[in-house]
Amino acid sequence: MNGANDMIGNKSIEDFYRQTAASLPEGISKEIGHFNVFETEKLFDRKTGNRTMPYSRRAYYKISLIKGRNRAEYADKVIDIRESALLFATPKIPYHYLPQDSNQGGMFCIFTADFLTRHKSGVVLDDLPIFQPGTLPVFQLSPGAATELEYIFRKMLRELGGDYLYKYDLLRNLVLELIHYGQQLQPMSTLKSTQNASERISSLFIELLERQFPIESPQQRLGLRSAKDYADRLAVHVNHLNKVLKEKTGRTTTEIISQRVLQEAKILLRQTDWNISEISYTLGYDDLAHFSNFFKKHTALTPVAFRS
């Protein structure tokens, strides 16, 4: 098995269905948001034959019933999964998921925030404890619990293929059942500060940074701007994040963020017809003057002069 099968970048849902044996559920395009459920062992990459999960973790939430030896890595924390576990993933918190052998099974569902909005489900996803930064949402399961959860996933699979008029309302209820089931469990113990912790923190920081881009419309806005924003999302102290990045790259957290924002600013100035105020807003600046000063400091040109 490909050991990095859950470290795929920002691929679209169209890429996911094109590159795997998975099929798009009938009628899904008529719904607001997206939902699907899969049997892990049935997914494979048509080109390489490897099992893969190449959906965009920038856009999708995921709940997984994991069977087999695996390792989940969150910044400076490592969780070893030896038998069965329940894992919750949010697009806002990067992690690496590494199978430790070829005997992999289980099921998982993916869904967008639009699928489970407050007016449809009564909950705000990012307000739920299980999706909060700093949590480790991986839960060891007893054989009985694994069987119970597999029944819920298989019910999802059965309902998704049916023609019940309100099947997506039922599927939302089943997703919420998984969430509430997980919130009653105790997180698995972690191994902290292993020798590769700095490498993971650096790697996950870059992944989290790149998830903010590209900016594709004037209404989109960077969600993370400061070093502290990134440290909080990775659940590490801002000073520790800065120390790791300085050792790995020779640059501070703020310098790396600024260079990536500057790169995106140049792209937007050259490749869009958005006005400077719109570009300033999308990059997280409330004050146009602050953006202009930032750009001129790094390029010796104003945004207007750069564009002309």
Side-chain angles (χ1 to χ4, degrees), residues 252-298:
T252 66
T253 312
T254 299
E255 287 170 343
I256 296 172
I257 297 168
S258 295
Q259 285 301 310
R260 187 60 183 87
V261 170
L262 181 65
Q263 177 186 340
E264 194 70 11
K266 291 178 178 178
I267 292 171
L268 295 176
L269 288 166
R270 286 276 169 83
Q271 299 182 10
T272 74
D273 59 0
W274 307 348
N275 64 48
I276 307 299
S277 293
E278 288 175 324
I279 293 173
S280 171
Y281 173 81
T282 64
L283 295 175
Y285 289 90
D286 293 316
D287 188 335
L288 176 57
H290 287 166
F291 171 66
S292 296
N293 290 337
F294 161 79
F295 194 86
K296 188 172 183 179
K297 175 183 176 182
H298 290 281

